Structures are given as structure tokens and as C-alpha cells.
Amino acid sequence: MPELPEVETIKRDLLQRLSGAKLLEVEIRNPDFLTKRGLSLSSLQDLVGAKLTEIRRTGKQLALILNDKALIFHLGLTGSLVFKASSEASESEFPLEKHLIVILHFDRGTLLFSDIRKFGNLKILSAEELSDYWSKALGPDALYVSKDDFVSILKRGKGQIKKFLLDQKVLAGLGNIYVDELLFRARIHPERRVESLSSEDLERLYHEMKELLREAISLRGSSIRDYVDGTGTPGLFQTRHQVYGKRGMPCPICGTPLKFLNLHGRGTTFCPVCQK
DNA sequence: TTCAGCCTGTCG
DNA sequence: CGACAGGCTGAA
């Protein structure tokens, strides 16, 4: 899915274009998607007339604050949120037309939520409930977590490092791409046990994580297949990937062919020589 | 703690 | 045609 850098990019795009905009109409294209997830169609319609005052993100989730409500998006593997200004082409020629779930018509243009594989989610809470909800469902955001918190979380951790870092309740935001890239940069084997990491390892992991996320956001995220930013444009960070999706290719450091394993159901690519 | 299941699309 | 893909859940 869109992982942290992709969702952060979308957040910035939408904030710039929609801050202060008024919601004029909610057009539901796929009611089944919503009702299956326990969202009543009327609760969505009730948002009409609200002003978008704020956009928040924790991990891979994004919340539009509309008056006293929070409309929370989780983009799954293939969800997208694309804004088209009133002056741009209409959604009839929108490439994801077939997969549209909801169209939010604002005074400044339309926000199109689509999801090819329908692994995404949409939820409405009161704006006050949002922080509580996120703090129960998610660990600290990987972009903002302090070094002290990160180290203490990892020191209390158990099991394989890859699985641990993918757990959103532990740390929110990393997914399969960024965990593979991070472990390569930090020279840590994906099957290494968290308990076995030294303080030095943890420090390195923390700094590499921040740097990786910073670079990925500056290149507007990774587009492997379907991801597009808040304007419908692909990201560029995939050109900087060192291991993800590169099984069998030479390690950029030592030239050894990159190894591929299936770990807890996720494809995992790494260098068997550089990563210990 | 695995693992199918949720979905659609693409690639070999 | 089967295998696989940025994720997560809940049932066995």
C-alpha cells in the first residue's frame, strides 16, 4: 500500500489544495464497500456542508477533519486519494474511474477515493475521538518517534526484526518496501532477532529509518504499481530502491546476488553477505 | 502463530 | 492457467 512516505505525500498535496474548503456534496459510487465496513451511508452524507480544517496522519492512516468529524482513510494496498481542481479534466476520464468508491465534491474541486483491490478502509469518528483511536490502534509514528522511545520499544521487543517492524501496533508507518530497504541500509538480516540487537545496532537502525523516510518523502514516495500522489502523479523513490523487488540482482555494495525469502507471508529481499 | 480470506490486475 | 503484489483480520 501506500506506506508512510506515500501517505505523507498525499497529506501534503491535499492540505495545500483543500485547506479551508467546503464540502458541497458526497457522491457514493460503491455503497457495498462502505456498508461492508460498517460505515452508514447517511453518516457520510451528514458531512455535507462541513469545512475541511485540518489533515492528520499517523502511520499509513490519513484523517480529514471536517468540522467536528474525522473521516479516516486507510488506503490498503491500492487505495488512492486524488484531488482534481474544478478547472481540471472531469472524473469521467479519471483512470481509476472503474474503482471509485466515493467522490467528495468541494467548492474548489473534487477528491476521488478509489481502491482497485478493495483492501482499504474508511471510517468516521468524532474529531475528539481520533487521537484516542489512533493511540490504541497504532504505535508511535515512524517519522516522529524520538530516539529514546524507539530504542526502548526495540529493547522490549521479541522475535524477528522484520515482523516486528511491520507490526503497526509497535511502530506505525513502515510496510514491506521500507522495511526491506531499511534493513539493508542498517545491515541487519531480516530474520535477526530483536533481542540480539546491540545498542549500536538500534541507534543505526533509528538513524537509517529517519534518513530513509526523509529521502522517500522528498521524492514523493515509491510507485511500484498503482500508487499515485494527491494530484494523480506517480512518486520517484522507486528509482532509489536498493533491494526491494530486486531479487537475484547484484547487491549494490558487494555484488552478491540478492536473496529472496518468504517471511511470514511477505516477500523479503536482502543481501545475505552485507546483512547480519 | 500460522494462514486463509478479502479483491483485482499483471506477469510468466 | 497459477503465482504473486505497498496490508490486515480473525478463525483454526
Side-chain angles (χ1 to χ4, degrees):
Chain A
M1 105 170 160
E3 304 179 27
L4 188 155
E6 291 75 36
V7 180
E8 178 65 20
T9 300
I10 293 171
K11 176 189 165 180
R12 294 177 184 186
D13 290 343
L14 298 186
L15 196 58
Q16 187 190 345
R17 290 165 178 80
L18 278 171
S19 184
K22 187 178 171 189
L23 182 60
L24 302 179
E25 184 195 344
V26 173
E27 182 182 344
I28 296 169
R29 289 293 187 91
N30 188 339
D32 283 355
F33 177 98
L34 304 170
T35 50
K36 271 184 193 167
R37 288 158 177 76
L39 187 78
S40 77
L41 305 185
S42 61
S43 66
L44 253 186
Q45 293 296 348
D46 288 344
L47 299 173
V48 168
K51 193 165 111 178
L52 193 153
T53 53
E54 199 185 338
I55 302 181
R56 293 188 217 161
R57 179 190 63 74
T58 297
K60 307 169 186 175
Q61 300 192 34
L62 194 69
L64 306 186
I65 308 300
L66 290 153
N67 286 2
D68 58 339
K69 299 289 185 190
L71 180 59
I72 309 165
F73 293 87
H74 189 163
L75 300 178
L77 285 171
T78 54
S80 69
L81 268 175
V82 174
F83 177 72
K84 296 283 180 196
S86 311
S87 54
E88 295 178 75
S90 72
E91 62 264 19
S92 60
E93 36 196 292
F94 181 63
L96 296 165
E97 165 75 24
K98 212 180 130 188
H99 302 291
L100 277 168
I101 312 291
V102 175
I103 305 174
L104 300 177
H105 296 267
F106 286 89
D107 51 4
R108 259 175 250 174
T110 56
L111 182 61
L112 305 129
F113 173 48
S114 58
D115 187 356
I116 299 171
R117 289 180 68 184
K118 301 180 177 66
F119 285 3
N121 210 340
L122 190 56
K123 190 176 178 76
I124 297 176
L125 294 178
S126 78
E128 296 151 4
E129 292 173 302
L130 182 62
S131 300
D132 258 7
Y133 168 68
W134 272 346
S135 63
K136 278 174 193 150
L138 302 172
D141 186 83
L143 187 61
Y144 301 123
V145 66
S146 70
K147 195 201 303 190
D148 287 353
D149 287 350
F150 180 85
V151 168
S152 77
I153 287 167
L154 277 273
K155 287 205 166 181
R156 280 183 274 117
K158 281 189 292 201
Q160 291 187 349
I161 184 67
K162 171 151 184 179
K163 184 178 163 67
F164 192 71
L165 293 174
L166 280 173
D167 185 345
Q168 302 300 298
K169 285 201 158 80
V170 167
L171 189 67
L174 300 179
N176 208 33
I177 292 177
Y178 293 101
V179 168
D180 277 11
E181 291 298 315
L182 171 57
L183 293 175
F184 176 75
R185 288 182 179 219
R187 308 274 185 270
I188 294 170
H189 194 289
E191 294 180 293
R192 180 88 175 268
R193 298 195 68 82
V194 181
E195 312 88 290
S196 77
L197 297 171
S198 65
S199 297
E200 192 190 325
D201 288 331
L202 296 182
E203 190 128 332
R204 199 171 65 254
L205 194 57
Y206 177 79
H207 289 296
E208 293 292 351
M209 178 176 81
K210 295 284 167 145
E211 179 59 17
L212 172 66
L213 295 174
R214 198 191 63 72
E215 290 176 23
I217 292 167
S218 76
L219 288 181
R220 309 187 56 75
S222 303
S223 292
I224 301 299
R225 267 171 219 89
D226 308 299
Y227 163 72
V228 289
D229 64 22
T231 73
T233 309
L236 293 169
F237 191 68
Q238 66 281 5
T239 61
R240 306 293 173 88
H241 290 177
Q242 296 184 282
V243 293
Y244 178 83
K246 297 189 183 293
R247 71 168 98 174
M249 296 176 67
C251 166
I253 305 286
C254 75
T256 303
L258 295 173
K259 204 170 159 187
F260 182 86
L261 283 180
N262 190 308
L263 297 184
H264 28 261
R266 314 304 303 278
T268 302
T269 312
F270 64 100
C271 175
V273 174
C274 296
Q275 293 174 249
K276 296 295 179 197

